Amino acid sequence: MTEILSDAEADRALGSNWTRSGAVISREVELASFPQAIEVVDRVAVLAEEADHHPDIDIRWRTLTFRLSTHSAGGLTSKDFALAEQIDSVLSSL
């Protein structure tokens, strides 16, 4: 099982685009269009499947909200921050 990070470890791992609330990190981003938002979701879905770690994704027209937490471990783990970095890479490639 993946080890839960302490609050201090989670805060150190938190990227500048992400916020933390307890055992969840999140990022909200507005894209240029609805099709572009869906393209991002599709690309993140492939990465999530490969990692066997799936974010909660809220789609509101052009605005996407990603939420990550390792539910099976009961908190934040390195898996969350690794996927957050991959999501950041998808978004920066647009």
Side-chain angles (χ1 to χ4, degrees):
M1 173 164 294
T2 305
E3 189 174 317
I4 295 174
L5 301 175
S6 69
D7 286 342
E9 291 169 323
D11 288 341
R12 279 193 300 275
L14 195 62
S16 61
N17 295 314
W18 294 80
T19 60
R20 184 173 76 86
S21 178
V24 176
I25 59 172
S26 61
R27 178 175 181 185
E28 183 175 286
V29 62
E30 186 172 318
L31 286 302
S33 66
F34 182 73
Q36 187 180 50
I38 298 305
E39 176 189 342
V40 169
V41 170
D42 286 343
R43 290 172 64 186
V44 169
V46 170
L47 296 170
E49 279 295 300
E50 290 172 355
D52 193 27
H53 190 60
H54 304 89
D56 294 330
I57 304 173
D58 183 41
I59 305 167
R60 306 287 172 142
W61 184 35
R62 300 179 309 160
T63 303
L64 301 177
T65 304
F66 297 95
R67 290 182 187 85
L68 292 163
S69 184
T70 306
H71 301 290
S72 61
L76 289 167
T77 68
S78 60
K79 286 180 154 187
D80 300 303
F81 295 96
L83 188 54
E85 285 182 20
Q86 290 183 301
I87 292 170
D88 288 344
S89 291
V90 168
L91 292 167
S92 67
S93 72
L94 300 176

